[in-house]
Amino acid sequence: MSIKYMCLLSVRSSCSSHGRVCASPVAQQRNNSTSPKIKVDFDQSTGVAVMQMQSPPVNSLSLDFLTEFSIATEKLEMDKSCRGLIITSSQPKVFSAGLDIMEMYMKSPEHCGEFWKAVQEMWLKLYGSNMVTIAAINGSSPAGGCLMSIACDYRIMADNPRYSIGLNETQLGIVAPFWFKDTMINTVGHRTTEMALELGMLYNPSEALKIGLVDQLVPEDQVVTTATQTMTKWLAIPDHARQITKSMMRKPTIDKLTSNRETDIQYFVNFITKDSIQKSLGMYLAMLKKRKG
Amino acid sequence: MSIKYMCLLSVRSSCSSHGRVCASPVAQQRNNSTSPKIKVDFDQSTGVAVMQMQSPPVNSLSLDFLTEFSIATEKLEMDKSCRGLIITSSQPKVFSAGLDIMEMYMKSPEHCGEFWKAVQEMWLKLYGSNMVTIAAINGSSPAGGCLMSIACDYRIMADNPRYSIGLNETQLGIVAPFWFKDTMINTVGHRTTEMALELGMLYNPSEALKIGLVDQLVPEDQVVTTATQTMTKWLAIPDHARQITKSMMRKPTIDKLTSNRETDIQYFVNFITKDSIQKSLGMYLAMLKKRKG
Amino acid sequence: MSIKYMCLLSVRSSCSSHGRVCASPVAQQRNNSTSPKIKVDFDQSTGVAVMQMQSPPVNSLSLDFLTEFSIATEKLEMDKSCRGLIITSSQPKVFSAGLDIMEMYMKSPEHCGEFWKAVQEMWLKLYGSNMVTIAAINGSSPAGGCLMSIACDYRIMADNPRYSIGLNETQLGIVAPFWFKDTMINTVGHRTTEMALELGMLYNPSEALKIGLVDQLVPEDQVVTTATQTMTKWLAIPDHARQITKSMMRKPTIDKLTSNRETDIQYFVNFITKDSIQKSLGMYLAMLKKRKG
C-alpha cells in the first residue's frame, strides 16, 4: 500500500486540490451562523434524507459543524418517517478533511474538552443510528472524515485515484483514540487496523476497496445515485429486525465509549494541550501555510 | 453480493425447487415417530460416522428433528471409537431449510420455549463436539441450516449456483440471536457478519466461498466423497491436541450461551409470541401457501 | 492449503534440508556459552539494529538462546537511539525451527518451568516492543519461529516454495498456548487461526501471503535489504504516536499473559511432563534420529 502524506486535520481557510488538502491558518471571518454548514433534503415519499456537507472549503469538522451535524441527525432520528440517511459532500474533491485543527491549537483546555465532546457525539449519533446510513464518499476522506464514513452502514466511494481515505492521525504525531480504532477493527479487522493506524495510512479507492474500508467504487458522478439505489435494497428489510441486529453488532463498541466519555475527554485534553503536541500542530500549520503561499 | 429471497423457515409440507423452498402450511399427518428423521452410518474401521438428514421434504428443524439430532450426536460423542462426523442431506436440493416455522406459529409460550431449548442444544452439541465435524452441504442451507453448517469444523458445498446459504432471518422480520451472530463472526469476521445479518443475505456457493462462509466447492456428486477424504486429513492429527485446540478457540463463545440459556429462551419466547411477529409469520405462511397453490 | 509434515520442535544437532528440518537427538557438546547465539549490529546513524540468529544448525529456541535473545532485545529497547529492529537468520534455509525439544524431554518440572518462562519472556519483549520490529524470514519458520515472526510489526519472507511457516504444534500432539493463539488471531483472524491450529498447518510463502501470515514476499537475497527499506517507511512516523497506537492494539493481548504467567507455566509443566506427552516426544525424537540415519 502506498502511504501518502495528506493533511490529517484541516483548517477553515484551507483549499483543496488533487487529493491534497492544503491550508493557511490565517484568521478569517467565521461563517455566519445563519449560513448552515449542513443541508438536509428529506424525501417523505421514500423515507430517505440526503445530507450535504457544505462547509467551505473542505468540510472541516469544527465545533460549529459538529454541533450542527448532531442536531440535524438527531432531528431525522426522531422523525419516524425517516428510515435512511445518505451523507455526502457538496465541496469539490473532498468528503471531509477531518477534525478542525483550529479547535485544538492554542485553545483553552475547556474549549478542547467541549470540542472533543462534540466529536464523540457525532460518532455516537452516527454509529448507533437506527436509520440506514450510507456514506456517499465523493472526495478525499482522511482522519475524522474516515471515521464518519466507517460509522455508516455502507460506503460508496468515487473511483478517482486522486482521492484517499484512512485514519492517518500518526502522520501528524497524534493518535486515533480507542473508539476510532474499534470502529476500524469492526470494519477491516485487527491486523489491517494495526498497520493502518501505526503507519497512518491513506488508501486510494482501489486499495480501500481491497481491504474492505469501502464497500463499492463507482464513477464520481454516480456516487449519490448509487447510494440511493443501495438504500432501496436496505430499506426492503423490516426496520425492527434490522435495527435489533445492528444494535447487537455495535452496542458493545458504543458502550465502551458511553461508559468512558469523561475519561476519554480528559485523556484527549491532557494529550492535545501538551507543549510538544502543540508544537507539532504549530509546525504543521506553518507547513500548510507555506504550501499554500 | 446478490440478495435472494428465500424462505428462512420451513414447514413440514413444503416443497423445494430451484433453490427456492416453497411451502404450504396445510395440516398434514406428522411423520410417524418410528420413522427416523436422521440416519446414521458409523464405519468402525475408519472411526467416521455419516449422518443423513432425511426428514421430507426439506429437513425442517422441528422439535422432533432437533431432539433426534441431539440424541444421535450425543451417542456418537460418547462412543470413543467415533472420531469424525459428516453431516449431509438425503433430500434433493436442500441441506436443511432451517427452523420449522410451525413450532413457533400459534403455539404456547411453553412450546416455543421447549423448541428454542432444542435449537440451543443442537448448536451446543455441534459447536462443542470433540469429534471432527464436516458439513457436506449438498443443497440450500438458509437460516438454521446455515447455523448447523457453521457450527461444524469444515464446510464443503455443492457447486450449484441455484443453492444458497446464509443467515437470512431479518428478511422475515425476525432476528438471529447473539450466538448465531457469534458463530458467524468466528467464521467470516465482524464486518461481513454485520452486513450479512442486517440484510439477511443469502449467498450462492461462489459468493459463500469468497467470504469464507464455506471452505470448498465441489461438483454435487462429490460432496460426500470429498468430505470423507478431508476427514482423513483431519484425523491424522492426534485427537487430544486437536480437541484442546478446538475448545480453546470455541469455549468463550459456548460459555456465553451456557451461562445465559434461560435468559435467551425467555427473550426468544417474548419476541416470537408478540402479536406483530405472529402476524408476520402468518403473512409469510400465507405467502408460501399462495406460492405453492 | 497443503499440509506438510515438518518438525515442530528442533534439537540442537538437527540438520535442515529442502524445507524439512531433520534432527538427531544424540548427545553432543553444547555450544560454548562464550559463543553468542545472537549477533547484533546496531547502526547509530539510522537507529536500526539488525539481529542475526546464529545458533547452528537451525536456531532452536533453547533456554540459552531465549535468554540471550531477551537480554539483547532489552538492551536495544533501553537504548533510546535504537528505534528499529530487524530479526533474521544467518543459518541456511531456516529462520528458526522453534522451541528446543531437548529442553522439555526428560527434564525436571523445574527446568521445564524455567524454560517456559523464557519463552513467555521472548514473546512479551517482542510483542510489546516500542521499537519497530521487522521479521526478515529467510528460511522455514515453524512453531516458535512462527510465533517470533508474528510478534513483529511486519513480516517479509523469502519467496522460496521449499520454506514454510505456521503454528504446527498439534502435528506433534502438543498444543499452542492461548497467547500463541491470540497473536495468530490478531494476525490472520479467528477462522483461519482455528483451522491452522487444529490442523497444525504449515504454509508455503504464497499461501502465507494469501492468508496474511506474512506481509510481503521477495527473492531470498533481498529479504534483509527490503526489510531495511521498509524500516525507513515505518521510522518516518513520529515514535510516540506510533508507540501509543501499537500499545493500544496489543496491550489487551499482552495483559492476558502478564496477569496469568504463573498459571500458564503450571499448565505447561503439567502438560509436558505427562507420560503420554513425554512418550510422544520420545517417539518424535526417534523418528528424527531414524530420518537422519
Side-chain angles (χ1 to χ4, degrees), chain B residues 87-289:
Chain B
I87 302 177
T88 193
S89 165
S90 66
Q91 300 311 111
K93 296 172 189 161
V94 67
F95 179 72
S96 163
L99 304 185
D100 189 337
I101 199 169
M102 297 314 289
E103 301 284 12
M104 41 184 145
Y105 182 58
M106 308 261 284
K107 286 287 185 297
S108 69
E110 290 70 30
H111 184 86
C112 291
E114 195 190 356
F115 173 61
W116 197 247
K117 195 173 180 179
V119 180
Q120 292 177 338
E121 196 64 28
M122 175 270 284
W123 179 79
L124 289 169
K125 286 263 184 301
L126 204 49
Y127 201 60
S129 174
N130 269 324
M131 298 179 283
V132 174
T133 52
I134 297 182
I137 309 165
N138 52 352
S140 282
S141 196
C146 178
L147 177 72
M148 193 178 261
S149 302
I150 57 180
C152 289
D153 289 315
Y154 195 78
R155 286 158 285 289
I156 299 162
M157 190 169 185
D159 193 6
N160 183 335
R162 287 177 172 173
Y163 296 162
S164 63
I165 184 170
L167 293 175
N168 58 327
E169 277 78 355
T170 53
Q171 294 260 6
L172 190 65
I174 65 172
V175 175
F178 73 88
W179 40 287
F180 283 51
K181 174 211 60 162
D182 288 343
T183 313
M184 187 73 166
I185 291 176
N186 289 351
T187 310
V188 299
H190 192 281
R191 170 57 184 159
T192 302
T193 298
E194 183 175 80
M195 203 153 81
L197 265 59
E198 287 195 37
L199 290 172
M201 290 177 82
L202 287 170
Y203 300 89
N204 67 37
S206 303
E207 294 165 340
L209 181 68
K210 199 179 166 194
I211 64 165
L213 187 53
V214 301
D215 298 302
Q216 199 177 344
L217 302 184
V218 297
E220 192 154 355
D221 58 355
Q222 295 169 27
V223 173
V224 176
T225 51
T226 307
T228 305
Q229 289 156 13
T230 304
M231 185 61 83
T232 306
K233 202 173 71 173
W234 283 72
L235 294 182
I237 305 298
D239 281 343
H240 73 280
R242 186 190 48 70
Q243 286 162 359
I244 295 171
T245 302
K246 182 173 177 176
S247 168
M248 183 169 63
M249 294 301 299
R250 299 191 169 190
K251 194 167 181 301
T253 306
I254 290 172
D255 287 349
K256 269 178 70 181
L257 180 58
T258 45
S259 60
N260 286 291
R261 281 188 81 165
E262 271 313 312
T263 311
D264 184 58
I265 291 171
Q266 274 315 310
Y267 185 88
F268 172 75
V269 172
N270 289 342
F271 182 83
I272 209 71
T273 56
K274 272 183 189 160
D275 282 352
S276 58
I277 303 299
Q278 284 292 312
K279 201 175 155 188
S280 286
L281 295 180
M283 279 163 33
Y284 178 71
L285 287 169
M287 183 269 285
L288 291 183
K289 189 174 182 176

Side-chain angles (χ1 to χ4, degrees), chain A residues 11-204:
Chain A
V11 292
R12 277 172 228 111
S13 53
S14 56
C15 69
S16 156
S17 67
H18 294 343
R20 284 194 170 173
V21 178
C22 50
S24 160
V26 295
Q28 65 164 170
Q29 185 128 13
R30 289 181 67 138
N31 285 326
N32 190 314
S33 65
T34 57
S35 154
K37 292 168 169 46
I38 286 165
K39 181 164 162 279
V40 176
D41 291 303
F42 175 43
D43 183 338
Q44 198 85 32
S45 71
T46 60
V48 178
V50 176
M51 181 186 276
Q52 299 251 15
M53 300 186 286
Q54 52 179 15
S55 181
V58 291
N59 293 324
S60 293
L61 304 179
S62 64
L63 179 54
D64 284 353
F65 183 99
L66 290 166
T67 305
E68 206 174 309
F69 177 89
S70 291
I71 290 171
T73 306
E74 179 71 10
K75 261 188 203 166
L76 296 171
E77 197 78 41
M78 292 296 101
D79 183 346
K80 289 306 163 199
S81 67
C82 183
R83 302 173 59 214
L85 170 63
I86 294 169
I87 302 177
T88 193
S89 165
S90 65
Q91 300 311 111
K93 297 173 189 159
V94 68
F95 179 72
S96 164
L99 305 185
D100 189 337
I101 200 169
M102 297 314 289
E103 301 285 12
M104 41 185 145
Y105 183 60
M106 308 262 284
K107 287 286 186 298
S108 70
E110 289 70 29
H111 184 87
C112 291
E114 194 190 358
F115 173 62
W116 197 248
K117 194 173 180 180
V119 179
Q120 292 177 337
E121 195 64 29
M122 174 270 283
W123 178 79
L124 288 169
K125 286 262 184 301
L126 204 49
Y127 201 60
S129 174
N130 269 324
M131 298 179 283
V132 174
T133 52
I134 297 181
I137 310 165
N138 53 352
S140 281
S141 195
C146 178
L147 177 72
M148 192 178 262
S149 301
I150 58 179
C152 290
D153 289 314
Y154 196 79
R155 287 158 283 289
I156 298 162
M157 191 170 184
D159 193 6
N160 183 335
R162 288 179 170 169
Y163 297 160
S164 63
I165 184 170
L167 293 175
N168 58 326
E169 277 78 355
T170 53
Q171 294 260 5
L172 190 66
I174 66 173
V175 176
F178 73 88
W179 40 286
F180 284 51
K181 174 210 61 161
D182 289 342
T183 313
M184 187 74 167
I185 290 177
N186 290 349
T187 310
V188 300
H190 192 280
R191 170 58 183 159
T192 302
T193 298
E194 183 177 80
M195 202 153 82
L197 264 58
E198 287 194 36
L199 290 172
M201 290 177 81
L202 286 169
Y203 300 89
N204 67 38

Side-chain angles (χ1 to χ4, degrees), chain C residues 30-39 52-56 62 64-65 68 91:
Chain C
R30 290 182 64 140
N31 285 325
N32 190 315
S33 67
T34 57
S35 154
K37 291 167 171 42
I38 285 165
K39 180 163 162 280
Q52 300 251 14
M53 300 187 285
Q54 53 177 15
S55 182
S62 64
D64 284 354
F65 183 98
E68 205 174 308
Q91 300 310 111

Side-chain angles (χ1 to χ4, degrees), chain A residues 1 3 5 170-178 181 185 190-191 193-195 197-200 267 271 277, chain C residues 127 152-155 185-188 212 215 233-234 236-238 240-242 244-246 248-250 253:
Chain A
M1 305 285 173
I3 304 171
Y5 294 81
T170 53
Q171 294 260 5
L172 190 66
I174 66 173
V175 176
F178 73 88
K181 174 210 61 161
I185 290 177
H190 192 280
R191 170 58 183 159
T193 298
E194 183 177 80
M195 202 153 82
L197 264 58
E198 287 194 36
L199 290 172
Y267 185 88
F271 181 83
I277 303 299
Chain C
Y127 201 60
C152 289
D153 290 315
Y154 196 80
R155 286 159 284 288
I185 290 177
N186 289 350
T187 309
V188 299
D215 297 301
K233 200 174 72 173
W234 283 72
I237 305 297
H240 72 281
R242 186 189 48 71
I244 295 171
T245 302
K246 181 173 178 176
M248 183 169 63
M249 295 299 300
R250 300 191 167 190
T253 306

Side-chain angles (χ1 to χ4, degrees), chain B residues 26-144:
Chain B
V26 295
Q28 65 164 171
Q29 186 129 13
R30 290 183 65 142
N31 285 325
N32 190 313
S33 67
T34 57
S35 153
K37 292 167 170 44
I38 285 165
K39 180 164 161 278
V40 176
D41 291 303
F42 175 43
D43 183 340
Q44 197 86 35
S45 71
T46 59
V48 177
V50 176
M51 179 185 278
Q52 298 251 14
M53 300 186 287
Q54 53 179 15
S55 181
V58 292
N59 292 326
S60 293
L61 305 179
S62 65
L63 179 53
D64 284 354
F65 183 99
L66 290 166
T67 305
E68 206 174 308
F69 177 90
S70 290
I71 290 172
T73 306
E74 179 71 11
K75 262 188 203 164
L76 296 170
E77 197 78 41
M78 292 296 101
D79 183 346
K80 290 304 163 202
S81 67
C82 182
R83 303 173 61 214
L85 171 62
I86 293 169
I87 302 177
T88 193
S89 165
S90 66
Q91 300 311 111
K93 296 172 189 161
V94 67
F95 179 72
S96 163
L99 304 185
D100 189 337
I101 199 169
M102 297 314 289
E103 301 284 12
M104 41 184 145
Y105 182 58
M106 308 261 284
K107 286 287 185 297
S108 69
E110 290 70 30
H111 184 86
C112 291
E114 195 190 356
F115 173 61
W116 197 247
K117 195 173 180 179
V119 180
Q120 292 177 338
E121 196 64 28
M122 175 270 284
W123 179 79
L124 289 169
K125 286 263 184 301
L126 204 49
Y127 201 60
S129 174
N130 269 324
M131 298 179 283
V132 174
T133 52
I134 297 182
I137 309 165
N138 52 352
S140 282
S141 196

